[in-house]
Amino acid sequence: MFAGIAPSACTRVSETQRFPVVSERLTIARTVPEQGAVIARDAQLDFCFSGRVDPRALDDFDVSLSSGLVTFDAQLELQLFAWRPPGASVGDSDAAWCPGSVLSVRPKSLLRPGVLYHLRLQPSAVGWAGEQLDVSGPGWIHNDDGSAFLLEFTVDPEALDTDTDGDTDGDTDGTDTDGPEAPAPTLRDLFAAGQVFASDNPACSCHRDGDDLARARLDLRDPDRAFADLVLATELQATGYPMVAPRRPAESYLVQTLLRDPDGTALYGVLGDPMPPDEPLAYPQMVALVRWIEGGALP
């Protein structure tokens, strides 16, 4: 399912030119919240892009969150495909609500009720295949300091201001206002019946039955072999990322090789056809894999 080039039906070589010259532009397709919206104190701020974003182009200095002259700390997280619900830092979405990647901004402290905030995003995002970001659309501002996307929103003035511990959840006992998230699955969980690596899942058959080359690249016959090939392997893959980067799904080749461009081809830099070769992996199984990696890729 995840192998690269191999002369077999399971891991066939693509006959198309894999890396054509890139002419498209990356755009911000949607923001959550929308411009001028009133939001909850613990909301996550999401930028939905028109295509996949290269994680190497981003860091926490690319955003600034402020109110008046006061600046607030925030951290960035990139979802290579949209698997969290829009505007939420916990839970799983039933379907990908964004056509490309989602850049999430998480304030490190609770926002204050009734306050107008300004979120500025620098134009540093680059598409997976090197697409440059289009800064000519609505929301972009241009001045002597350069260009930036400006998102303005207000925190619900009726929200209770009861946070005393300085965390981002709004409860003084450290619990999450949305409730605790279910524990991330382990790799053994993913081998259970009905899960992505289950023995009866045909999408994984190339790495389990009969195809020696595919199995040599990634052995999915049992959790121990799979853990060695997925997590313990140290070599970088064709895209320049490890097979699995624990806690960083967007930087894991396992995720990258399972995604497809809109025309059905593999992402830029992935050798051969996307995996599985016949049809995309079911969305719930993709989410399970991402949650496993985000949770630390435990055996």
Side-chain angles (χ1 to χ4, degrees), residues 13 43 68 79 102 118 127 144 149 155 164 175-176 178 189 201 221 263 267-268 275 277 283:
V13 177
Q79 302 170 55
V102 177
H118 307 274
D144 293 340
F149 189 94
V155 178
T164 60
T175 58
D176 195 315
D178 291 330
D189 292 333
N201 186 353
R221 285 178 290 177
D263 61 2
L267 297 190
Y268 189 95
M275 295 295 132
Y283 181 81

Side-chain angles (χ1 to χ4, degrees), residues 158-179:
E158 301 299 323
L160 295 178
D161 191 2
T162 59
D163 185 47
T164 60
D165 57 1
D167 59 24
T168 58
D169 55 36
D171 292 332
T172 56
D173 62 357
T175 58
D176 195 315
T177 54
D178 291 330

Side-chain angles (χ1 to χ4, degrees), residues 242-284:
M243 183 66 83
V244 167
R247 303 194 183 281
R248 301 195 303 277
E251 300 175 34
S252 298
Y253 183 75
L254 175 64
V255 176
Q256 297 161 4
T257 194
L258 290 169
L259 294 174
R260 285 161 159 75
D261 280 335
D263 61 2
T265 58
L267 297 190
Y268 189 95
V270 174
L271 300 179
D273 288 349
M275 295 295 132
D278 295 326
E279 61 182 14
L281 197 65
Y283 181 81

